[in-house]
């Protein structure tokens, strides 16, 4: 297809109960569709309207879920619409083709990480040695590619986050705070690189993208057009660029608006 749509998932198209951000009276709240179950419990949602729009988008463009989630975490999600031939997981570390990670892409990513930044072991040791158990709930490594912490936000010292960002920057890594998670990700590990590879393989001549976090900035900048919701790291810092539209909607209703914008751009006659 000539149009490729690469979208972040969490807090962009799908939302946990805590992230729904519904401010209207309960009787006016939109109907929700559960799209993820974890340990027998519903975990993530989109509105029924968003589900319809995503199904429609699947007939107008090549939709590519583009997430920082691991492959295992991504496979818990059941999105409406036709199955995505391509999906990007682990912030670009894995390119799935019909659900299977492409080994050539994995090898290219591993080579770049070995050549261009400090090792995961060094970063993980630093996190273990400097993060206070008072506010850290979990230490995690994702796909042997990057690390993240699950924290108590109200106890998290902002100065520590700033110091970590400087330390990581000097070693070729970036730091992102998303909800209750602090990510430390190698700079060469990007969603945009994987999306460019998908665009090459599909022959797409127009790329659209959406995302809410610092880890989505490179994806948005690499697209011909991009959208960010009214919440998240990018909105909090008032981040924008000439090809980026900053939407006012926050929470799960932002997912609807983003899909509407994708459809308008992918099908101008719609």
């Amino acid at each position: 297809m000539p149009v490729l749509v690469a979208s972040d998932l969490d807090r962009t198209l799908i939302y946990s109960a805590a992230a729904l951000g519904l401010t209207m009276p309960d009787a006016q709240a939109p109907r929700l569709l559960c799209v993820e179950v974890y340990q027998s419990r519903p975990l993530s949602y989109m509105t029924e309207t968003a589900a319809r729009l995503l199904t429609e988008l699947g007939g107008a463009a090549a939709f590519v879920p583009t997430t920082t989630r691991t492959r295992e975490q991504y496979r818990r999600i059941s999105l409406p619409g036709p199955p995505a031939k391509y999906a990007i997981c682990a912030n670009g570390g894995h390119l799935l083709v019909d659900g299977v990670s492409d080994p050539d892409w994995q090898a290219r990513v591993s080579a770049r990480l070995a050549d261009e930044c400090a090792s995961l072991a060094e970063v993980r040791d630093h996190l273990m040695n400097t993060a206070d158990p008072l506010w850290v709930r979990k230490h995690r490594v994702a796909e042997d590619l990057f690390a993240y912490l699950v924290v108590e936000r109200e106890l998290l010292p902002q100065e520590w986050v700033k110091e970590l960002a400087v330390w990581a920057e000097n070693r070729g890594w970036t730091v992102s705070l998303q909800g209750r998670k602090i990510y430390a990700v190698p700079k060469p590990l990007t969603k945009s690189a994987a999306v460019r590879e998908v665009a090459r393989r599909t022959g797409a001549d127009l790329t659209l993208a959406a995302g809410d976090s610092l880890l989505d900035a490179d994806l948005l900048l690499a697209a011909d057009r991009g959208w960010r919701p009214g919440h998240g790291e990018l909105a909090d810092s008032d981040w924008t660029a000439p090809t980026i539209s900053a939407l006012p909607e926050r929470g799960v209703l932002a997912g609807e608006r983003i899909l509407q914008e994708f459809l308008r751009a992918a099908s101008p006659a719609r």
Side-chain angles (χ1 to χ4, degrees):
M1 292 185 183
V3 180
L4 187 154
V5 174
S7 182
D8 177 49
L9 296 178
D10 293 279
R11 294 170 60 88
T12 298
L13 292 188
I14 69 174
Y15 292 80
S16 68
L20 290 174
L22 296 174
T23 57
M24 70 279 289
D26 290 346
Q28 298 175 20
R31 287 166 56 96
L32 299 174
L33 174 70
C34 177
V35 294
E36 180 184 14
V37 174
Y38 180 55
Q39 296 181 342
S40 301
R41 294 184 177 183
L43 189 62
S44 297
Y45 305 84
M46 63 196 320
T47 69
E48 288 189 349
T49 297
R52 175 182 57 79
L53 293 169
L54 182 55
T55 300
E56 188 176 347
L57 181 65
F63 175 67
V64 183
T66 307
T67 179
T68 305
R69 286 182 176 229
T70 65
R71 288 169 291 174
E72 179 181 357
Q73 292 167 337
Y74 167 69
R75 287 169 180 145
R76 298 197 304 248
I77 301 171
S78 181
L79 293 172
K85 180 175 180 60
Y86 295 99
I88 293 163
C89 295
N91 213 63
H94 287 280
L95 173 56
L96 305 189
V97 184
D98 294 323
V100 179
S101 187
D102 184 291
D104 291 337
W105 180 255
Q106 281 183 260
R108 287 163 60 182
V109 169
S110 296
R112 286 197 67 191
L113 298 186
D115 290 343
E116 299 178 25
C117 58
S119 69
L120 173 62
E122 180 181 349
V123 173
R124 189 181 185 194
D125 286 346
H126 183 78
L127 293 173
M128 293 290 293
N129 292 332
T130 63
D132 192 331
L134 176 68
W135 41 263
V136 173
R137 294 296 169 259
K138 297 176 184 177
H139 286 260
R140 291 288 185 265
V141 170
E143 303 270 21
D144 290 324
L145 291 169
F146 61 89
Y148 65 94
L149 307 177
V150 181
V151 302
E152 296 290 348
R153 279 292 295 265
E154 64 273 13
L155 300 178
L156 177 66
Q158 291 302 309
E159 195 58 36
W160 182 87
V161 178
K162 294 176 183 177
E163 291 172 359
L164 175 64
V166 172
W167 183 91
E169 173 75 22
N170 292 333
R171 288 159 180 81
W173 287 61
T174 188
V175 170
S176 174
L177 177 60
Q178 301 178 41
R180 296 177 59 238
K181 293 180 180 178
I182 299 174
Y183 290 90
V185 177
K187 287 187 176 182
L189 190 67
T190 64
K191 294 178 178 181
S192 61
V195 168
R196 289 189 186 98
E197 176 65 13
V198 175
R200 184 188 69 80
R201 296 187 188 192
T202 60
D205 55 15
L206 176 66
T207 298
L208 311 175
D212 70 296
S213 79
L214 178 63
L215 294 174
D216 296 315
D218 72 284
L219 169 65
L220 296 176
L221 291 173
D224 296 293
R225 292 188 63 187
W227 292 266
R228 66 160 174 83
H231 60 257
E233 275 185 302
L234 298 181
D236 291 345
S237 62
D238 202 28
W239 182 89
T240 190
T243 58
I244 309 304
S245 297
L247 303 176
E249 289 85 355
R250 299 171 58 88
V252 70
L253 295 180
E256 282 189 16
R257 175 68 186 277
I258 287 167
L259 287 164
Q260 290 168 354
E261 297 297 335
F262 281 155
L263 274 167
R264 289 191 188 101
S267 306
R270 181 177 178 269

